[in-house]
Amino acid sequence: MSPTASGRADCPQQLCHNGACRNADLTTLLSPDVRWLWEQIARRADQRGDAAMDSRTITVTPPDASAQRAAVVGLLAPRPLPAGRTHRIDLQRFTHALQRRGPHLTPGAVAAQSLGRSLAHRVADKARLTARLTTLQHLRSRLARALPPTAPLRPDDTGWDSLRRRGSLARLLQHPNPERLLTTAFAVLHQLPVSARADRRLLAHAAAGNPHALDAGTELAALVLAEAATARADAGASTSARDAWDRLGVDLDTFTGGLLTLGVHPTGWHIPPGQPNVLIPWVLHRAVWPAPWHSEDRWVFLTENPSVAAAALNGVPGTVRLLCTVGTPSRTELDAVARLAAAGWRIAVRADFDCAGVALVRAVLATVPQAVVWRMTAADYTASLHPEPFEPGVLDADCLGETPWDPALATAMRASGRPAYEEALIEELLADLRRAYPSWRCEVSGHS
């Protein structure tokens, strides 16, 4: 809308309620000095859900500028209103005054023209959103009731609020077809394995007709994991999607990843001495570990980075027993290490001095209580810091967490604010591997 040359206005954009401003004379009403009044009326219109604002009362606060207060003389009061003091307007009387400039004019109509937008959408939008969510909530309840009695996960109505808090409902509403997304998510829950394990791509194809429908970053995968987290305490407890899927009995890929090994292999395997090997997740799920001979050194070293394994291949003569996670270990890998310890081997674990490395050590200690920490003390951290790094890394203190095996380590890392890496201690680590014993080990209280 814009005033015409004659001072008359029409409303082709339908900004005002029922075209109330059509052919009205808005010339003085749309003066910039009066805008403060229409802004306050528009704000209350949005809150009330009342586009006309032609009944009840409203309280406005005149601004400090004298020109702005003078601009409403004769419109609100016979003399300028005091600055900063609230003034109550009878909207019915105000409407009658405005209709001298247009027979159907209302305060809400003028406010809409002044601000260039329609009013009172907030309440209507909220009502539509509530209705939409109610429809989806009822659909979710029906889908949950339709799950078979043997389903490993059965979301209930109490999980709806949890989905809201997680932001899952907001993402669901943004989907082009929320009903279809929700229905497909429950089709995935219907297909979850009860006792065996399932490949994620096969599960995705069975439930959604697309083997990539549950790939990382998809809306379907996010919703399934969110539902799992609401239905079972351990299903979505991990921040790692891989770990969350693993707890559901779903393998992301059973033929890639796993553990890089030196001198450690399942019962019945015959590997040439000094030959590195990768035990893929499919093997780790089924691995049965041999017990150590009485004459053997019982230590198995667990590290994060393959550079340590590469250095051990070239720098340690004889038998080396080393596992490398090549990053964050999955639940499958952790369980395999736990079975290795149960077979009689002692586990010494270490990683980089950063958030992921500290989390790795905590995860191993939680899974293998008898494991010990290998060169991961505050002193080791200080010795690992490069004196003049080319591009110093920044440690995210918020994600670091605690280091219960050596509380001083977390304190030192936060104070420094820099990560440090396994490669910095490579000579010391190789010396330990040659001795087949984790020097400077640190045992958590209560662990042996």
Side-chain angles (χ1 to χ4, degrees):
M1 191 289 307
S2 61
T4 65
S6 63
R8 298 285 168 178
D10 59 14
C11 190
Q13 296 86 9
Q14 295 297 306
L15 296 178
C16 55
H17 181 66
N18 292 331
C21 65
R22 190 174 299 277
N23 295 321
D25 182 2
L26 303 179
T27 304
T28 57
L29 296 177
L30 298 183
S31 164
D33 285 334
V34 191
R35 183 180 173 90
W36 66 269
L37 173 62
W38 308 126
E39 286 177 343
Q40 295 187 40
I41 290 175
R43 187 159 51 247
R44 293 303 303 273
D46 290 337
Q47 294 170 351
R48 292 182 181 180
D50 180 2
M53 291 294 286
D54 57 358
S55 62
R56 301 167 59 185
T57 63
I58 183 177
T59 299
V60 298
T61 304
D64 292 334
S66 58
Q68 293 178 330
R69 288 184 284 114
V72 298
V73 170
L75 188 62
L76 294 183
R79 60 182 61 85
L81 298 171
R85 293 176 59 182
T86 58
H87 178 77
R88 185 172 296 278
I89 302 173
D90 183 317
L91 289 174
Q92 187 174 17
R93 294 178 59 185
F94 188 35
T95 299
H96 291 156
L98 290 175
Q99 288 179 350
R100 292 196 294 267
R101 295 171 170 82
H104 306 293
L105 209 54
T106 65
V110 182
Q113 298 303 324
S114 177
L115 273 62
R117 66 175 180 85
S118 56
L119 307 185
H121 279 188
R122 182 181 303 172
V123 172
D125 289 346
K126 184 177 180 179
R128 284 192 291 269
L129 175 62
T130 299
R132 193 83 171 96
L133 285 171
T134 299
T135 299
L136 291 171
Q137 186 177 16
H138 290 164
L139 173 61
R140 178 179 179 272
S141 295
R142 292 196 301 273
L143 293 169
R145 290 194 298 270
L147 289 172
T150 57
L153 284 178
R154 301 186 63 84
D156 58 27
D157 290 342
T158 61
W160 187 253
D161 287 336
S162 178
L163 293 176
R164 188 193 305 275
R165 291 191 297 271
R166 291 171 177 271
S168 300
L169 296 185
R171 291 189 292 273
L172 177 62
L173 288 169
Q174 292 170 2
H175 191 270
N177 193 334
E179 287 83 1
R180 185 174 183 182
L181 176 60
L182 187 60
T183 301
T184 307
F186 272 81
V188 175
L189 298 183
H190 188 283
Q191 297 281 345
L192 286 177
V194 177
S195 56
R197 298 188 65 83
D199 180 88
R200 183 178 62 172
R201 292 182 180 88
L202 295 177
L203 174 65
H205 189 271
N210 180 351
H212 299 289
L214 292 173
D215 285 358
T218 62
E219 293 164 317
L220 180 59
L223 182 56
V224 169
L225 293 181
E227 286 284 12
T230 67
R232 199 170 73 194
D234 68 337
S238 172
T239 56
S240 163
R242 180 173 62 174
D243 196 27
W245 282 117
D246 192 85
R247 291 175 186 272
L248 295 177
V250 177
D251 297 319
L252 271 63
D253 190 339
T254 58
F255 287 90
T256 61
L259 291 173
L260 172 64
T261 71
L262 291 177
V264 182
H265 48 76
T267 299
W269 286 41
H270 301 283
I271 306 295
Q275 178 68 40
N277 190 40
V278 175
L279 301 183
I280 61 175
W282 189 91
V283 170
L284 292 175
H285 273 304
R286 297 157 177 80
V288 176
W289 304 107
W293 293 96
H294 293 297
S295 60
E296 285 185 306
D297 293 313
R298 293 172 174 262
W299 286 101
V300 173
F301 297 84
L302 176 62
T303 186
E304 178 183 7
N305 294 289
S307 56
V308 179
L313 273 176
N314 299 317
V316 181
T319 300
V320 176
R321 292 189 177 86
L322 178 69
L323 300 176
C324 179
T325 64
V326 196
T328 301
S330 68
R331 174 54 49 185
T332 297
E333 294 160 14
L334 291 171
D335 289 345
V337 174
R339 295 199 306 276
L340 185 65
W345 298 95
R346 302 207 67 189
I347 308 298
V349 58
R350 76 168 332 278
D352 287 330
F353 292 100
D354 58 12
C355 291
V358 168
L360 184 156
V361 173
R362 280 199 302 265
V364 171
L365 293 177
T367 309
V368 187
Q370 62 269 41
V372 299
V373 180
W374 174 31
R375 291 191 184 267
M376 284 287 286
T377 66
D380 297 320
Y381 167 68
T382 302
S384 300
L385 288 170
H386 195 286
E388 296 181 358
F390 170 60
E391 292 180 344
V394 178
L395 184 69
D396 185 356
D398 293 335
C399 74
L400 181 59
E402 299 305 317
T403 53
W405 61 91
D406 183 18
L409 172 58
T411 301
M413 292 177 69
R414 289 190 175 94
S416 170
R418 288 170 49 195
Y421 305 101
E422 290 194 282
E423 290 79 1
L425 294 176
I426 196 65
E427 294 303 326
E428 290 86 347
L429 301 182
L430 292 179
D432 291 345
L433 293 173
R434 294 186 192 104
R435 286 190 294 267
Y437 191 83
S439 299
W440 297 4
R441 71 183 190 274
C442 182
E443 299 183 358
V444 183
S445 177
H447 295 176
S448 59

